[in-house]
Amino acid sequence: MAKTSAEIMQMLVDNNVKFVDLRFTDFKGKEQHVSVPVSAFDEDKFEEGHAFDGSSIAGWKGIEASDMLLMPDPDSARMDPFADEDIPTMILTCNVVEPSTGKGYDRDPRSVANRAEAYLKSTGIGDNAYFGPEPEFFIFNGVSWGTSMNHSFFKIESEEGYWSNGKDMNGANSGHRPTVKGGYFPVPPVDSLYNVRSQMCELLEEQGVPVEVHHHEVGGCGQCEIGTLFSTLTKRADWTQILKYTVWNVAAAYGMTATFMPKPVVGDNGSGMHVHQ
């Protein structure tokens, strides 16, 4: 059952929330945010929205038409598991609205998804369409890169990488790692990322995203997959953004770095995102 704005205001009290983090997705699919102290957040935000500068978002508004509104969705409320304990933070996912018309902005991915679902119902073809994406990603121990006047480079560090077989590692090279394209389903210690993925899954469940499976993928230098439940278009897109946020931040907490880019390593598997419909 959908939450109401009044229920969210009570949740702020019950969880001793200090900040409300308003999230939206830009034209390139990247999540953006702005944080509001709870003292400046009242129930009117759900009706009147929160103003922001649309001209500073890539591919959106010109400076002459920069005023836009974030409209929080009460049903999206969740606590941020990565905020410090002394600053409890609630996240609200928002639609981006044109102040002049009150309608969803035509370059806001979430507003487009809402219109698509409304159109489906209007056709009488069906009430719901379900989607189940499977995003794959790599977890590396480190990444460095640079481009200058006289050179360019990139370097990936991965303790699971086949190229790490000959590294000294202060005498602690275990030798347990997948071969190139040999990362599918080995048990630990070859799958060195089991605990990292398990932590990601626990936090996804905590944020309301149902997890079905997690495993090491084919890529031998840290490729992973977390399978989550299918749902309707807007809800499932929200869950995918939550998954990416969680993967990035858990990896960072372990001193690692995660990427969903399609082909970070030459000669090994790339990362796809199959979508069941």
Side-chain angles (χ1 to χ4, degrees), residues 141 157-166 169 177-178 180 220-222:
N141 290 89
E157 301 289 348
S158 171
E159 291 187 7
E160 283 194 357
Y162 185 74
W163 59 83
S164 295
N165 284 338
M169 296 184 179
R177 56 182 52 89
V180 175
C221 48

Side-chain angles (χ1 to χ4, degrees), residues 25 29 31 73 75-76 78 93 109-110 113-114 117 128-137 204-205 207-213 225-247 260 273-277:
T25 299
E31 206 172 23
D73 180 353
D75 205 37
S76 70
R78 70 187 197 277
T93 302
R110 199 171 194 269
N114 285 330
E117 292 190 280
N128 291 303
Y130 291 104
F131 298 85
E134 297 182 359
E136 298 168 342
F137 55 92
L204 282 169
E205 293 270 1
Q207 295 172 87
V209 181
V211 175
E212 294 186 316
V213 67
E225 183 175 308
I226 295 174
T228 48
L229 191 65
F230 67 89
S231 189
T232 50
L233 180 61
T234 306
K235 172 73 76 176
R236 185 52 260 195
D238 284 348
W239 286 356
T240 300
Q241 295 294 61
I242 295 171
L243 185 147
K244 288 186 173 184
Y245 177 68
T246 302
V247 166
F260 292 84
M273 187 175 76
H274 312 111
V275 181
H276 303 275
Q277 301 180 33

Side-chain angles (χ1 to χ4, degrees), residues 97-212:
V97 168
E98 289 272 21
S100 58
T101 64
K103 294 182 179 179
Y105 181 42
D106 58 9
R107 298 185 190 180
D108 167 34
R110 199 171 194 269
S111 294
V112 172
N114 285 330
R115 286 197 295 276
E117 292 190 280
Y119 175 74
L120 173 66
K121 290 183 179 180
S122 75
T123 63
I125 294 171
D127 293 323
N128 291 303
Y130 291 104
F131 298 85
E134 297 182 359
E136 298 168 342
F137 55 92
F138 279 87
I139 301 175
F140 298 130
N141 290 89
V143 174
S144 55
W145 61 273
T147 301
S148 186
M149 294 174 67
N150 64 327
H151 76 280
S152 62
F153 79 95
F154 73 92
K155 187 175 183 181
I156 294 170
E157 301 289 348
S158 171
E159 291 187 7
E160 283 194 357
Y162 185 74
W163 59 83
S164 295
N165 284 338
K167 287 194 173 180
D168 183 354
M169 296 184 179
N170 296 317
N173 191 332
S174 71
H176 291 293
R177 56 182 52 89
T179 58
V180 175
K181 296 183 182 287
Y184 197 66
F185 278 25
V187 297
V190 176
D191 175 9
S192 68
L193 298 167
Y194 169 77
N195 290 325
V196 181
R197 291 194 310 273
S198 296
Q199 178 74 29
M200 292 169 178
C201 292
E202 286 193 345
L203 292 177
L204 282 169
E205 293 270 1
E206 187 179 300
Q207 295 172 87
V209 181
V211 175
E212 294 186 316

Side-chain angles (χ1 to χ4, degrees), residues 24-28 52-71 94-116:
F24 66 99
T25 299
D26 69 14
F27 194 50
K28 298 183 289 185
F52 76 104
D53 174 14
S55 70
S56 294
I57 303 298
W60 278 13
K61 291 284 194 168
I63 192 68
E64 76 287 347
S66 61
D67 293 339
M68 303 192 79
L69 291 174
L70 295 175
M71 303 298 293
C94 301
N95 295 315
V96 180
V97 168
E98 289 272 21
S100 58
T101 64
K103 294 182 179 179
Y105 181 42
D106 58 9
R107 298 185 190 180
D108 167 34
R110 199 171 194 269
S111 294
V112 172
N114 285 330
R115 286 197 295 276

